[in-house]
Amino acid sequence: STATDADEALFTTVCTCVNDIIPALKSEHAELVRRVELGGEPLHEVASDLGITPNNASVRLHRARHSLRAALQDTCGACADHGCLDCGCRGAARP
């Protein structure tokens, strides 16, 4: 399994906490995650809109995935590691 495989799996196996965590990412990372990963826009089109190269956008997206994964693990702990889609960590993370 490669880092890219793990990054792609992130968006098919995480809980709904991802929607709460995205706004806490750097704005450039959050926009890429929203548009490419959640919105399904082609990376090269988003890069063009942002005035950056597709290669730069790819690097930023990789960093955004890494930051999102780390934030999910901090917020959700074992739930994120096990890939649940609707875990109880939302309620547990908030008093």
Side-chain angles (χ1 to χ4, degrees):
S1 176
T2 67
T4 302
D5 292 338
D7 288 343
E8 290 172 5
L10 174 69
F11 290 94
T12 59
T13 61
V14 297
C15 69
T16 56
C17 295
V18 71
N19 293 321
D20 294 336
I21 293 170
I22 289 174
L25 299 175
K26 286 182 174 181
S27 61
E28 65 186 31
H29 290 174
E31 183 169 6
L32 283 168
V33 169
R34 281 188 196 106
R35 293 180 67 181
V36 175
E37 298 295 353
L38 301 178
E41 293 182 52
L43 184 62
H44 69 277
E45 287 180 16
V46 176
S48 179
D49 287 349
L50 297 176
I52 59 176
T53 66
N55 188 50
N56 187 319
S58 178
V59 169
R60 288 184 187 187
L61 183 59
H62 176 75
R63 290 178 181 159
R65 290 171 174 162
H66 178 77
S67 295
L68 182 58
R69 184 183 315 106
L72 279 168
Q73 288 172 338
D74 287 347
T75 300
C76 304
C79 290
D81 291 337
H82 292 105
C84 62
L85 294 172
D86 190 21
C87 66
C89 64
R90 264 188 158 194
R94 292 177 182 80

